[in-house]
Amino acid sequence: MSRILPILFNGDMVRTILEGRKSVTRRIVRYRYSNTEMKMHTDKYGTRLIEIQSDVEGETYGKNPDGSTWHKLRGYIEKNPPYGKGDILYVRETWAFISCAGCNGDYIRDGGPLNCYDYQAVEYDDGNTISDGCFLYRADCKTLEHITWHPSIHMPKQAARIWLKVTDVRVERLQEIDERGGRREGFVNDICLTDGTGKSAAKHFADLWDSTIKKSDLNRYGWDANPWVWVIEFERCRRPKGGSE
């Protein structure tokens, strides 16, 4: 059964989705413990990614006094993706709410004055729309300074304007992304054929990836670390019934 779940994107990625250039996102498979490693594991139930204690002499293997060796029977944690095929995702992005009483008609979007018909009025699941204000989105709205923007993590479901249907989920190493994958992430190849300057779409993606990772986590989750990632493919869809609850 499909689920309705939130997913966060920054302003740049929101714009690529709105422009129809982004149809996939990669999310880190995070470690639960510090003394473990991730690997693909195959048994009678299939092949999947697991987190298992690293081989450390004295903890997971060693030698007995008689010269024989021992190896600890270790349990593992199966890593499960945050989303599944068929799930419906509502995009959380930086947002604001402007009441009609506080609207002076001087809010700016892309250099032009605010047109209330361009914005999403508050809508409830019963199909009724109230007209006491509109949701605004930082990704495509240039406003006066007195607008109070709210972090994407705090966006309520009823404010979501972008809905996505998950079409595929797989796990792979970060550096397995190719040029086509970079383009599907929303980037472009701007390498100049005459002088070779510029970057490929995959390189643009790699640079952005490292900019989103904490410095303290680069050794584990940065581009050079080549971590495992969930590759989540999606397509735009309509707000489902019950999507405003």
Side-chain angles (χ1 to χ4, degrees):
M1 179 179 291
S2 63
R3 303 167 296 174
I4 298 179
L5 300 167
I7 186 169
L8 273 67
F9 285 103
N10 64 28
D12 289 338
M13 294 299 98
V14 165
R15 283 187 284 272
T16 61
I17 293 174
L18 293 173
E19 293 167 3
R21 296 191 289 113
K22 186 174 180 67
S23 59
V24 66
T25 185
R26 284 163 170 77
R27 302 295 163 113
I28 298 171
V29 184
R30 293 192 175 276
Y31 287 88
R32 184 172 178 180
Y33 302 105
S34 61
N35 64 338
T36 55
E37 59 184 333
M38 292 192 200
K39 60 176 65 176
M40 298 302 292
H41 175 73
T42 301
D43 56 22
K44 64 180 181 180
Y45 301 106
T47 300
R48 63 241 190 249
L49 184 66
I50 63 169
E51 182 177 356
I52 191 168
Q53 186 179 3
S54 303
D55 283 321
V56 179
E57 187 173 3
E59 293 185 13
T60 56
Y61 73 95
K63 288 186 177 182
N64 296 313
D66 61 3
S68 61
T69 60
W70 60 268
H71 199 288
K72 181 180 178 181
L73 180 63
R74 301 175 295 164
Y76 59 81
I77 300 171
E78 185 173 343
K79 308 304 287 187
N80 296 312
Y83 310 108
K85 186 176 180 179
D87 284 347
I88 304 297
L89 312 180
Y90 61 96
V91 173
R92 281 179 165 170
E93 55 182 301
T94 305
W95 62 288
F97 177 79
I98 303 299
S99 68
C100 292
C103 180
N104 299 316
D106 55 2
Y107 298 109
I108 306 299
R109 187 181 89 163
D110 294 334
L114 171 64
N115 183 336
C116 290
Y117 294 106
D118 291 338
Y119 288 85
Q120 181 176 318
V122 182
E123 184 173 348
Y124 291 95
D125 191 46
D126 59 7
N128 292 324
T129 300
I130 62 175
S131 58
D132 62 351
C134 296
F135 291 115
L136 276 67
Y137 306 94
R138 190 69 183 91
D140 60 3
C141 183
K142 300 175 183 178
T143 68
L144 300 180
E145 294 182 356
H146 62 272
I147 291 293
T148 299
W149 293 106
H150 303 292
S152 56
I153 191 67
H154 295 148
M155 173 186 262
K157 188 190 301 183
Q158 72 183 52
R161 59 170 173 167
I162 303 174
W163 294 77
L164 310 172
K165 182 177 181 179
V166 178
T167 57
D168 188 53
V169 179
R170 66 182 184 276
V171 66
E172 65 183 32
R173 291 283 192 176
L174 178 63
Q175 292 181 15
E176 289 183 47
I177 188 171
D178 56 14
E179 190 63 9
R180 178 175 180 272
R183 291 195 298 270
R184 293 192 63 194
E185 282 278 0
F187 298 92
V188 297
N189 182 328
D190 57 15
I191 296 177
C192 179
L193 296 179
T194 57
D195 59 15
T197 58
K199 297 178 183 178
S200 67
K203 175 58 177 172
H204 279 297
F205 168 80
D207 289 346
L208 178 70
W209 179 272
D210 273 354
S211 73
T212 65
I213 305 297
K214 295 179 181 178
K215 289 184 178 180
S216 59
D217 288 339
L218 284 173
N219 288 338
R220 174 161 276 198
Y221 299 124
W223 175 262
D224 290 339
N226 197 23
W228 290 96
V229 293
W230 301 113
V231 183
I232 303 159
E233 299 184 4
F234 56 80
E235 61 186 15
R236 294 284 298 275
C237 68
R238 294 178 178 272
R239 178 191 298 265
K241 185 177 182 181
S244 298
E245 295 178 343

